[in-house]
Amino acid sequence: MPSVVLIGTLDTKGEEYAWLRNRLVEQGSDVIVVDAGVGAHDALVDITNQQVAAAAGHDVRALKEAGDRGAAVTAMGEGAAAILAGLHADGRVDAVLALGGSSGSSIAARAVRDLPIGVPKLIVSTMASGDVSPYVGAKDVTVMYSVVDIAGVNRVSRAILGNAAAAAAGMARAYQLAKAVRTAAAEEPPLIGASMFGVTTPAVDAARERLGELGYEVLVFHATGSGGRALEALAAGGMLAGVLDLTTTELADDLVGGVLSAGPERLTAAGAHGVPQVVAPGALDMVNFGPRDTVPAAFADRLLYVHNPTVTLMRTTAEEMRELGRRVAAKLREAKGPAALFVPRRGVSALDAPGAAFADPKADAACFEAMEEGLRGSGVAVDDLDLHINDPAFGRAMAERLHDLIIGGAS
């Protein structure tokens, strides 16, 4: 029987969780109710709020008496995450379902954040019609809008919560079946994470084809901020045998203030966790903005390129490229595992090819020189190739070097 974990603040949502539990049982699920509230309640639970608080090193009574709502939400979210980790390790999590307002959604989002990708995670939230990025992050969290406030079970909430229960039960059944199939199947190929943009697609396609020939399965992440964060999360979570980080363009958005930044931690997870990685300055020639009229006035005199009606690209300057080169080198120097840098002397993106809109050999050279200088004496290999990044030979060379780093580390 598939197991669905219900996580919520039962002191304020006891009626709704009892109703959800009954619907899940009717759908054939084994239900584990985890109370993440700090108040008293009469609802049936399997894991009490004191157990949840204790899992985070707190006492639930002290949290309630302190009267600090934010601190209580943070503590219970951490405790719920620890409880879920234990349940998952015991094979008792086939799906997670939660509902709530801003606080309940925050607790649930923290609780599911560390679960592996693929484990179904569904949050019914009053906040879902706005920006849900704080709840989703870089994981496969499904967020459903509650439409009405979660305050009792009525003709509208019955329909929505009923759909949520049916969705969670269905996903749990599918996940349990998939686990059984994976267990019975032959060993699956090791996974490689690769970063890609439209302007580096030919390079990644060539690398992906070669990696496939070498026996790997390649997961491609679109370097749009969320894609980079997802790549970092998988590298940190131990799911990847290696990282082909050919497209590091999100670093440019982080430096200059574009709209597709993956944050300052981009290009750190593989190194911190010893995952073999090969890196290139793919698309560091550009910073991303929305439609042309949304580009900040401070950049009015810069070289802009309207990629499509919703995306405007700005060419990075030599000074910015030099700083990006320093940042790439600094991050790679910290790597605890094998790493290599690939330098495409003839351009870093489709727009940076000779004669193209962003062609600027001097700016590129500033980046390359800063990277090579920053890695001198570091032990990180540097492959300086007289190729454009989208030359198929460049992508294949990166793929083969990554394979060498992986099998070298395994020997």
Side-chain angles (χ1 to χ4, degrees):
M1 182 180 293
S3 179
V4 177
V5 180
L6 279 176
I7 294 180
T9 54
L10 272 71
D11 52 345
T12 60
K13 302 289 186 288
E15 177 188 356
E16 295 85 348
Y17 273 91
W19 192 89
L20 270 179
R21 182 184 183 281
N22 291 337
R23 302 292 81 73
L24 287 165
V25 170
E26 290 171 0
Q27 294 280 346
S29 299
D30 180 28
V31 183
I32 301 172
V33 181
V34 178
D35 181 17
V38 296
H41 60 85
D42 297 322
L44 176 66
V45 300
D46 299 291
I47 297 175
T48 67
N49 56 3
Q50 179 54 39
Q51 290 174 286
V52 172
H58 294 275
D59 178 79
V60 73
R61 185 175 302 172
L63 287 172
K64 182 173 178 59
E65 291 175 354
D68 187 334
R69 184 182 181 87
V73 167
T74 299
M76 298 305 280
E78 294 293 334
I83 294 292
L84 263 186
L87 291 171
H88 181 262
D90 293 338
R92 300 177 65 194
V93 181
D94 295 311
V96 180
L97 174 58
L99 57 90
S102 60
S103 295
S105 299
S106 294
I107 291 171
R110 175 61 192 97
V112 303
R113 189 180 71 193
D114 299 333
L115 287 176
I117 287 175
V119 177
K121 315 162 185 72
L122 174 58
I123 301 174
V124 182
S125 175
T126 61
M127 306 296 288
S129 62
D131 178 11
V132 298
S133 59
Y135 308 122
V136 176
K139 287 298 180 73
D140 54 338
V141 179
T142 302
V143 184
M144 178 185 292
Y145 184 39
S146 64
V147 182
V148 295
D149 202 352
I150 300 170
V153 179
N154 53 60
R155 69 179 69 179
V156 174
S157 64
R158 272 195 297 272
I160 294 163
L161 297 183
N163 286 341
M171 288 190 287
R173 284 194 297 272
Y175 181 73
Q176 185 184 58
L177 177 60
K179 283 195 301 185
V181 170
R182 285 195 299 270
T183 300
E187 184 177 348
E188 294 179 304
L191 292 174
I192 301 295
S195 54
M196 188 174 79
F197 227 25
V199 292
T200 60
T201 296
V204 177
D205 283 349
R208 184 164 53 88
E209 180 180 5
R210 181 62 183 133
L211 286 166
E213 294 169 352
L214 291 167
Y216 299 95
E217 181 178 356
V218 181
L219 309 177
V220 178
F221 298 85
H222 199 192
T224 55
S226 56
R229 289 190 294 273
L231 174 57
E232 297 289 312
L234 263 67
M239 291 189 66
L240 302 179
V243 173
L244 189 127
D245 216 340
L246 186 145
T247 310
T248 47
T249 184
E250 290 150 318
L251 296 174
D253 283 59
D254 183 58
L255 172 66
V256 182
V259 298
L260 299 184
S261 170
E265 299 305 309
R266 180 70 174 89
L267 193 59
T268 61
H273 292 82
V275 179
Q277 59 181 324
V278 292
V279 176
L284 286 184
D285 58 322
M286 59 187 64
V287 179
N288 293 266
F289 295 102
R292 176 64 181 83
D293 59 4
T294 68
V295 177
F299 300 130
D301 296 331
R302 296 282 294 271
L303 175 56
L304 302 174
Y305 180 87
V306 178
H307 187 60
N308 60 48
T310 60
V311 175
T312 304
L313 307 175
M314 182 177 75
R315 210 322 174 172
T316 43
T317 65
E319 181 180 356
E320 290 162 351
M321 290 288 278
R322 186 174 296 108
E323 175 59 23
L324 287 166
R326 284 195 289 263
R327 293 188 179 192
V328 169
K331 291 171 186 287
L332 287 179
R333 285 188 75 96
E334 297 296 317
K336 296 178 181 178
L341 173 72
F342 275 70
V343 177
R345 281 285 164 181
R346 298 198 180 187
V348 300
S349 81
L351 292 181
D352 188 36
F358 280 178
D360 188 342
K362 290 184 178 180
D364 291 350
C367 179
F368 302 156
E369 290 165 9
M371 289 191 297
E372 292 181 348
E373 180 181 348
L375 290 174
R376 195 166 292 123
S378 68
V380 176
V382 177
D383 287 79
D384 196 328
L385 304 180
D386 188 27
L387 297 170
H388 185 270
I389 198 167
N390 283 331
D391 188 312
F394 188 87
R396 287 196 296 268
M398 288 190 70
E400 289 167 3
R401 174 57 67 90
L402 181 57
H403 174 62
D404 291 343
L405 294 180
I406 293 170
I407 61 175
S411 62

